[in-house]
Amino acid sequence: MSVATLPDVRGRLTRGRPLSDLTWLRVGGPADWLFQPADTDDLAQFLAALDPSVPVFPMGVGSNLIVRDGGLRAVVVRLGRGFNAISIEGKRVIAGAAALDSHVARRAADAGIDLTFLRTIPGSIGGALRMNAGCYGRYIADVLVSARAVTRAGKVIELSAQDLNLRYRQSDLPDGAVLVEATFEGPHGAPADLQAAMQDQLRQRDETQPTAERSAGSTFRNPAGFSSTGRADDVHDFKAWRVIDAAGMRGARLGGAQMSEKHPNFLINAGGASAADLEGLGEEVRKKVYDSSGIRLEWEIMRIGDPTDEPTS
């Protein structure tokens, strides 16, 4: 893609932008272009004018992402300050897609709205919405009222929770659409009680997860026993970490990649890992788990791009 083929923008367009420093795992090659729109109108006008054959990849803060070492042949859209506002309207919280989950939880708690489960979820609202993020038995599906997105054709659309069909780690967001805002409604709670609950969640997280390491959160989805709404079935509550541990892969290494000793479903960059190391170790874990239990783990971390830095044909 040459400069001449890209529409004019008010935001920032950067050619050949390395993506490694934009992901929590700190790996990956460059994107053909990185677009940081000034606002929703800038994003909509850009997408409407962009050649429909050019791939577009919306990227949040890279908390659940491996970019392969060869980079990404696409325009990566990364939302910034124009998309991170948080406001309270009665019982509702309106958050830009670039707002951090933890910030939304805190602002909501100050207003007496219980979105505390978001406090320990890494990343931003756009990613949380796309994957119906959740913990402590609560999910985005439980609190979402509506969302706003810009389609690949540049049209701004409103989406209801029903439109998105939220289910365990999945949604039906239209292909190529970029989420820009979400509206939530949660139960009432005393601000002091909500703040205390979040402090307790942080303590539990730090005790059980490798929060001081470079990771992307849970590597694999829990393999079975979940309903379409994302809630665990008490009878068939299989956990990915259990089958990984049973397969002897706690602490396993490949190059600079490691499955955490503290929580074996956390893939970490233990130092100098490449994307190939991380993905390769993940695939080795999947094979070992299948060999030992017959369970096929599914990646929760998204993996994108080309596997090498060699030109693609």
Side-chain angles (χ1 to χ4, degrees):
M1 288 177 283
S2 69
V3 176
T5 63
L6 293 180
D8 292 332
V9 299
R10 289 181 289 108
R12 179 181 297 179
L13 268 172
T14 307
R15 189 173 191 172
R17 174 62 160 85
L19 298 177
S20 57
D21 65 324
L22 301 180
T23 71
W24 284 26
L25 283 166
R26 293 295 190 269
V27 296
D32 284 350
W33 290 92
L34 178 71
F35 177 39
Q36 297 164 281
D39 50 34
T40 299
D41 287 343
D42 191 31
L43 173 61
Q45 290 166 15
F46 174 82
L47 291 177
L50 184 65
D51 183 334
S53 69
V54 176
V56 170
F57 179 76
M59 180 177 174
V61 294
S63 62
N64 189 47
L65 185 67
I66 292 174
V67 178
R68 295 187 178 106
D69 300 308
L72 191 57
R73 308 288 73 78
V75 174
V76 171
V77 176
R78 192 169 195 262
L79 306 182
R81 289 187 177 182
F83 299 87
N84 66 356
I86 305 168
S87 62
I88 309 295
E89 295 185 3
K91 298 178 180 180
R92 292 185 172 182
V93 180
I94 301 169
L100 296 179
D101 301 332
S102 58
H103 290 179
V104 173
R106 293 203 300 266
R107 282 289 304 277
D110 289 342
I113 301 170
D114 186 357
L115 299 180
T116 52
F117 74 97
L118 289 172
R119 181 63 182 88
T120 57
I121 296 176
S124 57
I125 287 298
L129 183 54
R130 178 183 289 271
M131 67 179 294
N132 189 25
C135 61
Y136 305 112
R138 298 178 67 197
Y139 295 81
I140 288 289
D142 298 322
V143 296
L144 180 68
V145 175
S146 64
R148 196 154 61 101
V150 181
T151 69
R152 179 62 181 81
K155 182 180 179 181
V156 180
I157 60 173
E158 300 290 331
L159 297 164
S160 68
Q162 290 74 27
D163 292 333
L164 288 166
N165 187 27
L166 297 174
R167 52 205 184 278
Y168 181 59
R169 299 297 188 258
Q170 296 180 70
S171 66
D172 287 345
L173 186 69
D175 288 344
V178 182
L179 290 162
V180 294
E181 188 179 84
T183 299
F184 304 105
E185 188 171 300
H188 174 74
D193 292 342
L194 298 178
Q195 295 289 354
M198 290 190 293
Q199 285 302 117
D200 187 55
Q201 290 172 9
L202 288 170
R203 178 187 57 77
Q204 292 181 49
R205 181 196 64 178
D206 291 344
E207 288 176 355
T208 59
Q209 298 176 10
T211 53
E213 306 285 353
R214 289 199 188 282
S215 81
S218 296
T219 304
F220 301 105
R221 299 176 183 177
N222 287 316
F226 284 83
S227 70
S228 61
T229 61
R231 295 179 178 81
D233 182 314
D234 291 336
V235 178
H236 300 100
D237 187 11
F238 295 105
K239 299 292 188 182
W241 76 264
R242 293 185 189 276
V243 295
I244 294 169
D245 205 18
M249 297 302 285
R250 182 189 291 263
R253 286 180 174 265
L254 179 64
Q258 182 182 16
M259 302 308 296
S260 170
E261 292 276 6
K262 191 172 189 178
H263 191 308
N265 193 27
F266 276 64
L267 178 61
I268 62 175
N269 184 342
S274 65
D277 290 340
L278 293 161
E279 190 170 12
L281 179 56
E283 289 300 320
E284 185 177 336
V285 168
R286 294 182 71 232
K287 182 179 184 303
K288 293 287 189 182
V289 166
Y290 181 74
D291 289 345
S292 66
S293 68
I295 292 173
R296 295 186 186 276
L297 291 177
E298 295 182 20
W299 283 89
E300 186 165 313
I301 296 174
M302 182 179 291
R303 295 147 297 130
I304 60 170
D306 297 330
T308 71
D309 58 3
E310 297 174 359
T312 57
S313 56

